[in-house]
Amino acid sequence: MNEHQFPDNFLASLADEPGFNSISFTHAHQFNEAPTSIRVNPFKPSAVKTDQQVPWCGNGYYLDTRPSFTFDPLFHAGCYYVQEASSMFIGHIYNMIKQADTPLKVLDLCAAPGGKSTLLNSAMDENDLLVANEIIKTRVPVLTDNLNRWGTPNTVVSNNDPKDFSRLKGFFDIILVDAPCSGSGMFRKDPAAINEWSAANVNLCHQRQERILADIYPALKEGGYLIYSTCSYSRQENEDILDWLCNEFGFESVAIPINKDWGIVETESEERKAHGYRFYPGNIKGEGLFAACLKKTGTSDAFLSFKNDSQQKLNSKEMDQVKSYINEPSDFYFFKHNEDWLTINRQHKESLNMLQRSLYLKKSGIRIGKLAGHDLIPDHELALSIIINKDTVLQTPVNKDQAIQYLRRENVGLDTTNKGWSLMTYENHPLGWAKLLPNRINNYYPKELRILSQLPKQ
């Protein structure tokens, strides 16, 4: 990328920013390819290849070369997520502010495709609850799929406008707003963003960011934390937003400890000296990012818990049958939606009731499946979950070629005398379900997830 290919006045707009070096920045865009990085799933340990660690993320790794992730069964099993390294810093912020032994309710407001949701979820324990919301309806399925792969039961996916969360006053302990922005931090990774950038768009994004933050403010409890991030370098979308939050709502800036060797530039907002953290290609091995953390000090309406006394009347024999598929079933609350059985950690039962009353939910915990007589028709979510009781189900191991056949939803060439529903596993990690019959195998991998592309020629 030549210097003149940046938008007009773009470099000039950054010239006075602390830590910005136009020579190293331009060189990184012109000569350095965007690095490839993954983040491993701590709940699904695997033999996935890892090279150099991302300095600010214990589960993050740079890869020396970019493999074909589509044709890696471990990717489909949810053993890792392909994520840009700079954005993993959000997990570092979360680890710095979370309180030990205190159950947290966390909202990722603009969550699709799910990188930051799975990042936050990796740092949470079963007592914490993650609500991953996506405003744009068409982006909800990919968010749901990625959280299904991650496999944890303490997650809820919603499809709501930020203003809808004002019904949940003081509900969340931590809210992440990875705000829609002008996208200059993605110039190297997505050159098309260059053509879309303009000063007018920066101002438009600034106004949108203020509106989103004002809408979500009531849902954050007093003393709670707001993590704010963009993939923009523009001060109007970053430090100026911090000043606005401090002036308008009385937020206090929170300093996040960083290692100077990481190459992250710590900045301050002009008026309130709020701490921000900038990532510049050329300084760090990653793309552009701005991130900050603020604490809510202003008074707000406290969250009023809602106890739902009208519990579902569930057939105890059916419930016992369903419970047999879950490890430690006494730790979980079981419920039905239409004919589907679902489960979530027992301690999140009342929170789920409140969310169901206030939001449009697309995923709640783990979908187990439907009962048909004495048989369970198991759901794909159950296969990928970390709570499935594998002792109660048949497992059929496959090699890599067979795994790709399965993930294509093709006929899998296997010799087996087993019959019935079976988990198809690769290196002991479930990929999904198949039904083994005397003369064939019915492949139940979801049609919408199947691999359609061809394996690249070596």
Side-chain angles (χ1 to χ4, degrees):
M1 179 188 295
N2 296 321
E3 185 169 326
H4 70 268
Q5 286 183 287
F6 286 118
D8 292 342
N9 303 319
F10 173 72
L11 291 179
S13 72
L14 299 180
D16 295 330
E17 294 295 347
F20 179 74
N21 183 312
S22 107
I23 295 174
S24 62
F25 182 85
T26 302
H27 185 275
H29 284 76
Q30 189 170 357
F31 297 108
N32 298 346
E33 288 187 10
T36 299
S37 49
I38 64 169
R39 183 172 37 77
V40 298
N41 188 340
F43 309 114
K44 295 184 176 183
S46 68
V48 63
K49 184 178 182 293
T50 53
D51 297 317
Q52 180 190 354
Q53 189 173 21
V54 175
W56 44 85
C57 181
N59 292 325
Y61 295 89
Y62 298 105
L63 301 186
D64 294 335
T65 57
R66 186 179 182 88
S68 177
F69 296 114
T70 301
F71 291 91
D72 182 2
L74 292 178
F75 168 75
H76 296 276
C79 294
Y80 63 92
Y81 189 94
V82 184
Q83 185 173 30
E84 197 282 307
S86 297
S87 62
M88 298 181 196
F89 184 70
I90 300 302
H92 175 71
I93 295 178
Y94 179 84
N95 284 324
M96 293 298 104
I97 61 175
K98 72 176 181 180
Q99 298 161 318
D101 303 322
T102 302
L104 298 174
K105 293 192 281 288
V106 181
L107 170 64
D108 182 0
L109 182 67
C110 311
K116 293 182 177 69
S117 291
T118 56
L119 174 71
L120 291 171
N121 190 242
S122 295
M124 299 165 70
D125 65 36
E126 61 190 14
N127 295 316
D128 303 322
L129 177 66
L130 173 68
V131 177
N133 179 72
E134 176 50 44
I135 301 165
I136 301 170
K137 185 176 182 179
T138 54
R139 302 185 73 200
V140 174
V142 69
L143 170 63
T144 304
D145 291 340
N146 281 322
L147 281 168
N148 287 342
R149 285 192 189 101
W150 218 242
T152 55
N154 59 339
T155 57
V156 171
V157 174
S158 61
N159 172 212
N160 286 80
D161 189 87
K163 67 177 181 294
D164 296 336
F165 287 86
S166 62
R167 305 168 192 151
L168 293 162
K169 291 180 170 57
F171 184 82
F172 293 101
D173 301 280
I174 297 173
I175 295 178
L176 166 63
V177 178
D178 183 39
C181 68
S182 60
S184 51
M186 292 290 106
F187 280 176
R188 179 170 61 172
K189 194 174 181 182
D190 179 16
I194 297 171
N195 300 323
E196 298 170 7
W197 189 92
S198 68
N201 192 32
V202 168
N203 290 328
L204 189 66
C205 288
H206 171 94
Q207 295 168 15
R208 182 189 300 141
Q209 290 151 2
E210 287 187 348
R211 184 171 67 251
I212 289 171
L213 291 163
D215 283 343
I216 205 65
Y217 174 80
L220 183 62
K221 79 170 189 180
E222 186 177 351
Y225 293 93
L226 170 68
I227 303 173
Y228 176 75
S229 65
T230 73
C231 55
S232 169
Y233 302 116
S234 301
R235 179 164 283 266
Q236 298 100 301
E237 300 177 77
N238 297 327
E239 289 86 354
D240 288 358
I241 290 289
L242 303 188
D243 275 340
W244 178 79
L245 284 166
C246 294
N247 289 331
E248 190 76 15
F249 299 107
F251 275 99
E252 286 184 357
S253 175
V254 177
I256 302 298
I258 58 173
N259 188 321
K260 290 184 178 179
D261 294 338
W262 293 351
I264 301 167
V265 176
E266 184 171 3
T267 69
E268 287 186 340
S269 64
E270 187 174 352
E271 186 179 348
R272 301 299 293 270
K273 308 303 178 189
H275 302 275
Y277 303 88
R278 285 175 170 257
F279 290 64
Y280 292 116
N283 288 21
I284 50 90
K285 193 175 178 181
E287 304 310 306
L289 176 81
F290 175 85
C293 182
L294 303 105
K295 187 173 185 178
K296 182 173 179 176
T297 59
T299 57
S300 61
D301 294 336
F303 168 62
L304 299 176
S305 62
F306 166 75
K307 191 167 181 62
N308 185 0
D309 293 323
S310 57
Q311 297 299 316
Q312 288 183 326
K313 291 182 172 63
L314 300 172
N315 184 300
S316 58
K317 287 185 178 179
E318 289 184 356
M319 185 180 288
D320 287 342
Q321 191 176 345
V322 169
K323 283 182 175 181
S324 68
Y325 288 88
I326 302 298
N327 278 323
E328 306 295 339
S330 60
D331 293 342
F332 292 91
Y333 163 59
F334 294 84
F335 57 104
K336 286 183 76 173
H337 179 70
N338 297 326
E339 294 303 310
D340 284 315
W341 282 86
L342 300 94
T343 193
I344 197 167
N345 307 76
R346 182 170 293 280
Q347 56 267 44
H348 303 315
K349 173 183 170 183
E350 298 307 333
S351 292
L352 178 62
N353 286 334
M354 188 66 189
L355 293 168
Q356 287 172 331
R357 282 165 57 93
S358 306
L359 301 174
Y360 179 55
L361 303 187
K362 299 293 288 185
K363 169 181 165 66
S364 303
I366 299 295
R367 191 177 298 269
I368 300 169
K370 297 180 175 70
L371 285 176
H374 296 294
D375 293 327
L376 177 77
I377 302 172
D379 195 89
H380 188 61
E381 286 187 37
L382 176 64
L384 296 185
S385 76
I386 62 172
I387 62 171
I388 185 172
N389 182 358
K390 294 181 183 177
D391 292 338
T392 63
V393 296
L394 188 62
Q395 298 179 56
T396 303
V398 294
N399 60 32
K400 187 169 184 179
D401 289 341
Q402 292 165 334
I404 298 302
Q405 285 178 325
Y406 174 74
L407 294 167
R408 285 188 179 280
R409 218 168 184 269
E410 296 173 348
N411 293 326
V412 182
L414 276 176
D415 289 326
T416 178
T417 56
N418 292 317
K419 296 178 185 177
W421 289 102
S422 176
L423 273 181
M424 307 300 282
T425 65
Y426 175 76
E427 295 186 3
N428 294 318
H429 289 284
L431 299 172
W433 299 102
K435 196 162 191 181
L436 310 184
L437 300 170
N439 55 355
R440 69 182 191 277
I441 296 173
N442 284 354
N443 189 334
Y444 279 86
Y445 193 71
K447 289 180 181 178
E448 65 276 12
L449 299 179
R450 69 192 186 278
I451 297 174
L452 295 174
S453 57
Q454 298 298 315
L455 184 64
K457 294 181 180 179
Q458 301 297 321

